[in-house]
Amino acid sequence: MFQHRFFSCLSAVRLVRRSLLTQLLLCLLMPIWLTACQGFHRAHSTSATSTADLQQLLQLMSHRLQVAPKVAQSKWNSGKPIDDAAREQQILQAVGQQAVGQQAAANAQDAALALSFFQSQFDAGKLWQRMLHAQWLAVQHAPFSPAPDLQREVRPVLDDLTPALLQSLKAVQAQLCDVSSQNWLQQQGVQLMDHQIPESVRIKAIEPLRCHPV
């Protein structure tokens, strides 16, 4: 009987020790688990925010490119060249000044990205215009009636989109070179833009968003 009680007491002591050790381990590991969970939450939240910002930017890019056929029709009727270097330079100069702001040295990289981005939007739009002019030339297309008014109907839309695009670009710039952002652009970027826009035009527009390490 005594021996049975002895082993019972010994077993109880061991259980208490195990319980204490378990509690001690939990106390030691809990901060690590909490830190890991918080880190995962922050990473997931940042990734979701970055994706939403990229989607917004792609939508604005699509809106701008959707104006290209109207520009092409206007220039088809007027016979004006598709390239308008003076207007492009005017827009790029304004964009560069807005991107730099008050701290030129700190924001030089912002300005470089903004200039590259808008130049690609110009080039993508002109690419689509040339494709349309080639199609119309092949069938001897008659002048469009009524043709969009470049000054009153088309350029105001483009001018309104410029600051919105610049703001949206700034929103994604900090995460643009993240692996998750680049993977998302690779997989979804071209697909999420308006499919009425030729794929080669969409690829051209997205090109400056590809991260090029400095």
Side-chain angles (χ1 to χ4, degrees):
M1 178 65 72
F2 175 78
Q3 186 177 9
H4 176 73
R5 289 181 178 178
F6 173 78
F7 283 113
S8 296
C9 290
L10 184 60
S11 297
V13 170
R14 287 174 178 173
L15 285 174
V16 170
R17 286 181 176 177
R18 288 176 185 174
S19 177
L20 290 173
L21 285 173
T22 301
Q23 292 180 20
L24 180 60
L25 285 173
L26 285 174
C27 289
L28 291 173
L29 293 175
M30 186 62 71
I32 299 174
W33 289 340
L34 288 174
T35 301
C37 290
Q38 289 172 355
F40 173 79
H41 175 74
R42 283 195 298 269
H44 179 74
S45 177
T46 301
S47 177
T49 301
S50 178
T51 298
D53 289 338
L54 283 169
Q55 288 178 329
Q56 174 67 19
L57 179 59
L58 292 176
Q59 289 176 359
L60 290 171
M61 291 164 63
S62 290
H63 291 334
R64 192 184 197 286
L65 286 172
Q66 287 163 355
V67 180
K70 295 182 178 180
V71 178
Q73 290 178 6
S74 177
K75 293 187 174 182
W76 177 261
N77 281 21
S78 67
K80 291 182 179 179
I82 289 175
D83 288 285
D84 190 346
R87 175 166 168 78
E88 288 183 16
Q89 186 59 38
Q90 180 184 9
I91 297 174
L92 289 176
Q93 184 175 358
V95 164
Q97 291 173 350
Q98 293 178 53
V100 170
Q102 299 297 321
Q103 300 177 344
N107 295 332
Q109 191 172 2
D110 294 5
L113 175 62
L115 294 176
S116 173
F117 172 80
F118 276 92
Q119 185 62 63
S120 286
Q121 305 319 298
F122 298 155
D123 293 343
K126 290 186 294 184
L127 174 61
W128 195 4
Q129 291 178 53
R130 290 191 180 95
M131 293 167 65
L132 291 172
H133 276 209
Q135 294 173 14
W136 299 337
L137 182 62
V139 297
Q140 295 296 303
H141 200 292
F144 291 89
S145 181
D149 189 310
L150 195 60
Q151 296 293 338
R152 296 181 181 180
E153 299 177 31
V154 178
R155 285 184 174 171
V157 175
L158 296 175
D159 291 340
D160 287 342
L161 283 169
T162 297
L165 279 163
L166 184 58
Q167 182 178 359
S168 187
L169 181 64
K170 286 182 178 181
V172 304
Q173 184 169 354
Q175 289 87 31
L176 196 56
C177 287
D178 290 353
V179 174
S180 59
S181 296
Q182 288 298 305
N183 288 342
W184 186 88
L185 276 173
Q186 180 70 27
Q187 297 168 9
Q188 304 291 335
V190 174
Q191 298 302 319
L192 286 179
M193 296 182 72
D194 187 349
H195 282 206
Q196 293 183 349
I197 303 169
E199 184 174 358
S200 59
V201 175
R202 285 178 272 157
I203 291 173
K204 183 65 179 176
I206 291 177
E207 190 175 277
L209 300 181
R210 306 295 186 190
C211 184
H212 302 290
V214 178

